[in-house]
Amino acid sequence: MDQGDRDWWRNGIFYQIYPRSFGDSDGDGVGDLRGIIARLPYLTRLGVDAVWLSPIFPSPMADFGYDISDYTGIDPLFGTMEDFDDLVAAAHDAGLKLILDLVPNHTSDQHPWFTEAKSSRENPKRDWYIWRDPAPDGGVPNNWLSEFGGSAWAYDEASSQYYYHAFLAQQPDLNWRNRDVRQAIYDVMRFWLAKGVDGFRVDVIWHLIKDADFRDNPPNPHYREGRPPHEKILTQYSTDQPEVHAVITEMRHVTEEFDNRVLIGEVYLPLHRLVAYYGNDLSGAQMPFNFALLSTLWSARSVETIIADYEKALPSGAWPNWVLGNHDRPRVASRVGPAQAPVAAMLLLTLRGTPTLYYGDEIGMRQVPIAPDQVRDPFERNVPGIGVGRDGCRTPMQWSAEPNAGFSSARPWLPLAHDFARDNVASLEADGASILNLYKAMIALRRGLPQLVHGSYEPVAAQGDVLLYRRRSAEGVAVVALNFGAQPATITSSAIGFSNEVLLSTLMDRQGEKIEGALDLRANEGVILGPHQED
Ligand code: NOJ
Ligand code: MG
């Protein structure tokens, strides 16, 4: 990719790496930076454009790196700063952009800022975190809950105050109303941007500002038994406060001190709230992550509705994006089933907007069952037994049929899928019709068909299990037909036009087939059509 291209984040495909699980170079069972460098040629073969790394900074690992104790270092588990500099250079040499995870909402309780803040009420850093007196009865200051179970308030005996933590007690929230906190994190951003990173994915960006009066949150009337306990109350006062947007604009300005950088926001909110994160006059994040596909019912009509709602909610000029998997949600192949995983992939790579892939989804990795004594995720440890555990989507990348799947010379930190000897990069690269080769073919097709990248999205009416749309630009038109069902389906010629040609099928066996009239889709088949060219 042209490094000077201002539109790179619009045109490109993003790929999320969970560094603990991608490649282990030093044989300690945990992935590391040299392990990633060694696998860059794979990413080039796959054809992605940008890589986002989950946190690699020094951390006690209470939440596997989302609890940072030094924002401008590299955790020895992952390597050294020299390794990081080599990774930036190697990625750029390979034409790949590199995105880091910025975790500004909270630090580790081991961060020197928190140690200072905790040392006394008078410490200059006290106000960098969120401290409140106990309620009159001595209890917690309000009813806010931690996403990882229990109250969001932890008591500090020494100073007789509570501090707020939206996640673990080992992850105290920073006070983003404090200007010094803002400046400190902006300097962290500058540190990495100056090293050449191409942007940030900002952790829980909608959490940064809390209600100034710390009012109680209202109960959630739709709470369902079996859901995590923090869902019993809504987060009306603890997240998504209007003042957050001014903060994000400041962050955006920091990225704009450098050329062609991108700000991606992690935002779990309904679509109509999500789009506020583009900011007034698009002064916010360029890509507030759109997670709608992570929780939808997998049916043609639900997905069609989501696309329509999202397209409609987007502010003018805002660029869309789509996500099918990440390190917090069950694997897509398990959510939709292995037969639909290729259809989901074709959807992701043909919708209007930047796609973000999650490592391993391109080889169809499924949720790996985690035995009770293998659980590492603090969420599952605190709230056991209802299926919130995130370990199953964070297991080592399956590279080959060799011991430990070619991921490591040692036993990996999380178990491997039992069938890795069958489903791995080496075996799937050799199998012409594999999901991996489908991903490669779709990515290559996107590159050759600009209408799939910047063309308009035009829904076409369809029924039952079929989702149908067109992508159109000055360069041409492409039709995407996806069968979400396990029965064959027929699409009439009036819906797709009379003379088409199959550019790609998820079953990889009908490229070049002329479609004169109706299109027959097999069970679980997706196809991309283009106008038939007479030769
Ligand atoms: C969102 C991250 O994606 C998740 O993994 C983490 O546990 C929380 N933020 C807390 O940082
Ligand atoms: Mg290692």
Side-chain angles (χ1 to χ4, degrees):
M1 201 187 338
D2 174 5
Q3 297 289 324
D5 178 6
R6 295 187 59 85
D7 280 335
W8 67 269
W9 53 270
R10 288 192 182 87
N11 299 337
I13 295 171
F14 285 59
Y15 184 95
Q16 179 189 359
I17 287 179
Y18 195 67
R20 296 179 69 91
S21 292
F22 202 61
D24 175 23
S25 73
D26 61 358
D28 63 356
V30 180
D32 44 54
L33 299 182
R34 295 251 159 236
I36 295 172
I37 294 175
R39 298 299 186 178
L40 290 178
Y42 166 74
L43 297 178
T44 318
R45 287 203 300 283
L46 181 59
V48 298
D49 303 286
V51 174
W52 149 39
L53 304 182
S54 280
I56 52 174
F57 318 105
S59 164
M61 302 288 166
D63 189 21
F64 297 107
Y66 284 96
D67 50 320
I68 296 173
S69 53
D70 173 4
Y71 280 103
T72 54
I74 299 294
D75 195 287
L77 191 63
F78 296 121
T80 63
M81 192 58 85
E82 198 188 343
D83 296 334
F84 179 77
D85 291 334
D86 287 351
L87 172 59
V88 176
H92 286 169
D93 282 348
L96 294 166
K97 303 284 190 181
L98 192 70
I99 307 295
L100 290 186
D101 213 312
L102 182 73
V103 188
N105 180 68
H106 43 268
T107 68
S108 161
D109 63 344
Q110 304 299 306
H111 195 294
W113 297 343
F114 189 69
T115 316
E116 279 190 54
K118 208 179 155 181
S119 67
S120 87
R121 289 197 186 200
E122 285 70 45
N123 187 279
K125 292 233 164 43
R126 183 73 172 181
D127 186 52
W128 282 38
Y129 293 85
I130 299 173
W131 299 93
R132 304 290 285 174
D133 288 332
D137 68 355
V140 291
N142 68 19
N143 71 350
W144 295 3
L145 297 178
S146 158
E147 289 210 10
F148 291 154
S151 169
W153 297 96
Y155 191 59
D156 174 46
E157 294 277 350
S159 64
S160 311
Q161 281 191 315
Y162 285 91
Y163 66 86
Y164 176 69
H165 57 91
F167 298 93
L168 298 175
Q170 296 99 311
Q171 293 168 294
D173 278 47
L174 283 164
N175 174 16
W176 272 82
R177 294 183 185 271
N178 180 304
R179 291 261 17 135
D180 295 337
V181 166
R182 296 189 186 191
Q183 288 312 327
I185 296 290
Y186 301 157
D187 284 343
V188 168
M189 294 172 70
R190 292 183 181 103
F191 174 87
W192 294 109
L193 292 167
K195 277 189 172 289
V197 314
D198 298 288
F200 299 101
R201 170 270 189 187
V202 186
D203 192 64
V204 296
I205 203 167
W206 85 110
H207 273 255
L208 293 180
I209 298 279
K210 326 342 170 176
D211 179 45
D213 298 325
F214 294 91
R215 281 169 280 183
D216 270 350
N217 275 324
N220 175 4
H222 304 296
Y223 177 75
R224 280 187 293 117
E225 236 19 83
R227 297 288 307 163
H230 73 273
E231 292 183 7
K232 285 183 182 153
I233 61 165
L234 301 173
T235 55
Q236 182 173 340
Y237 295 113
S238 48
T239 69
D240 195 28
Q241 300 300 294
E243 301 99 312
V244 76
H245 297 292
V247 172
I248 300 172
T249 297
E250 289 179 4
M251 285 183 168
R252 173 72 177 270
H253 286 152
V254 175
T255 65
E256 285 173 352
E257 293 167 18
F258 301 78
D259 289 334
N260 300 339
R261 311 300 160 102
V262 70
L263 203 58
I264 304 169
E266 186 203 20
V267 189
Y268 283 95
L269 284 174
L271 290 173
H272 70 280
R273 294 296 316 150
L274 167 67
V275 294
Y277 286 75
Y278 285 101
N280 275 340
D281 300 324
L282 307 183
S283 63
Q286 287 107 321
M287 296 208 292
F289 263 149
N290 166 11
F291 294 134
L293 293 176
L294 293 177
S295 51
T296 178
L297 180 77
W298 195 250
S299 79
R301 297 289 74 79
S302 324
V303 171
E304 180 176 55
T305 304
I306 284 171
I307 304 168
D309 290 351
Y310 182 57
E311 284 277 349
K312 196 162 154 235
L314 283 171
S316 150
W319 182 249
N321 76 85
W322 295 94
V323 178
L324 215 48
N326 65 29
H327 65 293
D328 293 326
R329 295 293 151 124
R331 288 265 177 198
V332 60
S334 295
R335 297 198 320 267
V336 307
Q340 277 291 309
V343 173
M346 186 169 275
L347 174 76
L348 177 71
L349 289 165
T350 57
L351 282 175
R352 190 174 81 91
T354 301
T356 299
L357 317 188
Y358 182 51
Y359 88 93
D361 282 350
E362 77 278 17
I363 55 170
M365 277 175 68
R366 271 160 285 163
Q367 213 46 16
V368 174
I370 306 291
D373 65 341
Q374 297 169 324
V375 170
R376 305 293 301 270
D377 180 12
F379 193 7
E380 176 69 22
R381 289 188 173 192
N382 289 355
V383 185
I386 58 167
V388 298
R390 300 170 295 175
D391 295 320
C393 68
R394 298 174 174 179
T395 60
M397 181 68 172
Q398 298 155 202
W399 293 105
S400 70
E402 284 159 45
N404 305 314
F407 161 74
S408 174
S409 57
R411 191 186 147 98
W413 74 289
L414 280 176
L416 284 153
H418 69 90
D419 51 5
F420 76 80
R422 190 193 66 199
D423 292 341
N424 58 65
V425 169
S427 67
L428 298 181
E429 278 191 331
D431 167 1
S434 69
I435 185 161
L436 177 55
N437 281 317
L438 172 65
Y439 264 95
K440 286 188 191 176
M442 285 190 294
I443 292 171
L445 185 66
R446 248 179 92 95
R447 236 172 258 297
L449 283 188
Q451 56 268 46
L452 287 182
V453 179
H454 64 244
S456 60
Y457 168 83
E458 298 175 7
V460 180
Q463 253 127 55
D465 287 326
V466 174
L467 178 68
L468 193 59
Y469 50 90
R470 266 187 228 110
R471 301 291 314 280
R472 186 194 302 276
S473 70
E475 290 94 347
V477 64
V479 176
V480 181
L482 303 173
N483 185 356
F484 281 60
Q487 301 298 325
T490 298
I491 299 168
T492 60
S493 47
S494 56
I496 53 171
F498 273 91
S499 190
N500 282 296
E501 175 173 328
V502 175
L503 302 176
L504 192 60
S505 156
T506 52
L507 299 169
M508 302 282 278
D509 55 358
R510 49 196 297 202
Q511 281 91 309
E513 181 185 321
K514 283 179 205 149
I515 308 291
E516 307 284 359
L519 166 70
D520 289 321
L521 286 178
R522 289 165 285 176
N524 303 304
E525 183 182 27
V527 301
I528 305 173
L529 302 176
H532 175 58
Q533 320 278 352
E534 287 303 331
D535 40 21

